[in-house]
Amino acid sequence: MSGAPEFTIEINQNPYLPMGGHEVHAVAHIQASGPPTGVRAGARGAEVIMVDSSGSMDFPSTKLKAAKQATKAAIDTLRDGTLFAVVSGTGMASMVYPFEEGLVAADERTRKEAKREVDKLRARGGTAMGQWLLMARRLLEPHKDAIRHAILLTDGKNESEREQDLAEAIAYCEGVFVCDCRGIGLDWRVEEVRKISTALLGDIGLVSEPADLVADFTRMMQNAMGKSVADVTLRVRTINNARVKYVKQTYPVIDDLTARRTEVGPNVGDYPTGSWGGESKHYHVCLEVEPDEVNPGGKRRPCQISVVLPDGAGGLELAKAGVFAQWTDDEELSTRINQEVAKVTGREKLANAVQEGLQARRDGDETTATARLVQALELANEAGDEHTARLLGRVVEIEADGTSRLRNDDDEGMMIIDVESHKTARVGPPIEG
């Protein structure tokens, strides 16, 4: 494991429960501290760039031009030896470089050849993102020892295949590679692309100005090159009749992982966390526990949380920490709210308010949309989340007399809020309530 990150886990919780209480909340801060090179011995990256080349990329033509420039910038960012391919996405998926299905190692010659082929891309046909993903899977699946990553760029709706086809393709790609997604312009569906980025443990972003795409692609590829270990799992082992109610990632994005549990033994389950470099991720674990009737005031450890790397039977445990519970009749202790738990539950509440407001707007219910987005603005202000508050201020307006209304003319603002609502800002005090 030379060159792999060193993991640490810090548990934030209030272990005290009222007598008869059943619910334990804990936030696990997991930190990976890796070497500057970002590559562990024996591992290398495997990258697939999927470029939307559908007909709509020519309207305006600056979109396809920017996509070509961004793809070439990403190719230039590849570290020597990284395996890579470029795929053109239309109503089907086709190889841009190399010419046959497969990956090639990045070096001066292959980068030059790949960029020359990218320059030849022309806009045509429809959009079938499921086909693009299946191509990426075929390319990446054989390279099980590599850190496998893909970038998907689109500008439109997935109109050339059934919704079920895309869902099946996403499911087929889960666990094979991480995929970061970008939408260019304002004609794509955030909820559609988010299904891809969420399932494949990647990031989602909106690039409204084509000129900004080069810098964005370069950052994405630099981040991918900084990963040093893949397929890390969060292992939750419950003890003493405890049960997992839910597990959510809360930083850097909010993602409910509960349904993605893999059973690995009695009372032991693994949850995917993707690839890691030198970075921090946070997880909210909620447990249902049974009170200790024999020793009501005793301290118990109903759960152990660990970071595990697949490595033979049972995996290699990289770090571990315990979650505790202690019943008390001291109301001051049992009602004390841990700040980190309050912060993440508040941020989840804020994200839910945004999504409910946007969905109500899509459904034509402007009254509910306004109420929920105003609530989200109030929550963001309470949390000191200036970034989210500023975004929400673009689309909701509160008058001096307290009345509020939607600014329905800012489609870009609505899309940005939709994209950003699941991303976590580490600012301000916790949101109470």
Side-chain angles (χ1 to χ4, degrees):
M1 289 294 294
S2 173
E6 293 184 2
F7 284 85
T8 58
I9 303 177
E10 176 188 345
I11 300 296
N12 296 269
Q13 69 163 136
N14 175 13
Y16 294 102
L17 280 72
M19 302 303 290
H22 289 270
E23 198 165 89
V24 174
H25 292 266
V27 177
H29 287 192
I30 301 178
Q31 177 70 47
S33 301
T37 57
V39 178
R40 64 183 172 94
R44 62 173 170 176
E47 297 284 337
V48 174
I49 305 172
M50 295 169 273
V51 186
D52 190 335
S53 307
S54 62
S56 59
M57 286 291 285
D58 246 351
F59 299 95
S61 59
T62 50
K63 286 193 292 187
L64 185 59
K65 181 180 179 181
K68 292 179 183 180
Q69 292 172 336
T71 301
K72 292 190 291 183
I75 292 169
D76 280 333
T77 309
L78 292 168
R79 184 179 292 107
D80 279 348
T82 301
L83 301 171
F84 80 102
V86 181
V87 172
S88 170
T90 58
M92 56 183 289
S94 56
M95 296 295 298
V96 175
Y97 185 84
F99 305 113
E100 303 294 330
E101 279 196 22
L103 303 180
V104 296
D107 58 28
E108 184 176 356
R109 176 185 62 82
T110 57
R111 288 193 197 91
K112 183 177 180 180
E113 290 175 352
K115 289 187 290 182
R116 183 171 63 239
E117 296 306 316
V118 168
D119 276 331
K120 298 177 183 178
L121 280 172
R122 298 292 180 267
R124 67 192 190 285
T127 303
M129 286 180 266
Q131 294 300 310
W132 314 353
L133 292 171
L134 292 175
M135 170 73 85
R137 188 190 190 282
R138 291 197 299 273
L139 294 169
L140 292 168
E141 200 279 333
H143 303 281
K144 293 180 172 61
D145 292 333
I147 298 171
R148 298 175 290 188
H149 176 260
I151 292 174
L152 184 150
L153 173 70
T154 186
D155 81 321
K157 305 174 183 66
N158 200 55
E159 296 177 328
S160 301
E161 63 185 354
R162 300 174 303 164
E163 184 177 342
Q164 179 183 347
D165 295 330
L166 177 58
E168 290 175 353
I170 293 171
Y172 193 49
C173 293
E174 280 190 52
V176 177
F177 60 93
V178 170
C179 185
D180 290 326
C181 301
R182 289 296 182 268
I184 184 171
L186 304 179
D187 295 326
W188 56 286
R189 293 184 181 140
V190 176
E191 67 273 19
E192 190 171 65
V193 177
R194 181 180 284 124
K195 290 176 182 177
I196 300 172
S197 64
T198 298
L200 304 187
L201 302 174
D203 181 38
I204 182 174
L206 163 65
V207 183
S208 53
E209 293 296 330
D212 296 331
L213 198 59
V214 168
D216 188 72
F217 263 46
T218 301
R219 283 192 298 268
M220 272 195 293
M221 193 60 79
Q222 287 172 339
N223 182 61
M225 292 295 98
K227 302 298 183 181
S228 54
V229 61
D231 302 325
V232 175
T233 62
L234 183 76
R235 178 164 294 175
V236 179
R237 181 189 303 273
T238 50
I239 310 163
N240 298 324
N241 297 319
R243 185 182 71 83
V244 176
K245 189 172 182 180
Y246 58 77
V247 174
K248 299 178 181 179
Q249 179 175 298
T250 59
Y251 178 83
V253 297
I254 297 172
D255 184 9
D256 192 341
L257 301 175
T258 310
R260 303 182 68 176
R261 176 184 173 104
T262 300
E263 300 292 339
V264 294
N267 303 316
V268 182
D270 283 357
Y271 301 85
T273 71
S275 302
W276 289 69
E279 60 191 299
S280 177
K281 298 180 185 181
H282 302 171
Y283 299 88
H284 181 187
V285 178
C286 179
L287 306 171
E288 288 187 348
V289 296
E290 292 299 322
D292 191 337
E293 297 179 359
V294 177
N295 183 20
K299 190 174 185 179
R300 288 168 49 190
R301 190 187 68 175
C303 172
Q304 177 180 287
I305 296 174
S306 55
V307 177
V308 176
L309 181 66
D311 185 35
L316 176 64
E317 188 177 78
L318 304 177
K320 64 180 178 181
V323 176
F324 295 91
Q326 185 170 354
W327 285 263
T328 178
D329 55 9
D330 186 333
E331 189 172 335
E332 182 181 350
L333 289 176
S334 64
T335 58
R336 187 179 298 160
I337 300 175
N338 178 272
Q339 286 199 351
E340 285 300 313
V341 172
K343 187 180 296 182
V344 300
T345 53
R347 193 59 179 80
E348 292 163 14
K349 185 178 180 181
L350 168 56
N352 289 338
V354 170
Q355 287 302 309
E356 289 169 9
L358 294 174
Q359 185 59 53
R361 181 176 181 264
R362 286 191 286 267
D363 294 340
D365 184 352
E366 187 159 325
T367 300
T368 299
T370 303
R372 298 302 279 146
L373 291 174
V374 167
Q375 180 192 21
L377 176 58
E378 292 169 348
L379 290 170
N381 284 326
E382 289 173 18
D385 186 347
E386 296 179 1
H387 175 68
T388 303
R390 184 168 59 253
L391 293 178
L392 286 162
R394 289 182 57 170
V395 298
V396 291
E397 184 175 10
I398 303 176
E399 306 289 352
D401 62 0
T403 59
S404 54
R405 68 178 182 86
L406 283 186
R407 293 170 171 160
N408 279 312
D409 58 341
D410 192 351
D411 290 334
E412 180 184 2
M414 290 290 184
M415 285 191 74
I416 293 173
I417 290 167
D418 197 357
V419 168
E420 295 288 321
S421 64
H422 285 69
K423 299 181 181 182
T424 312
R426 295 179 66 182
V427 297
I431 303 172
E432 301 294 342

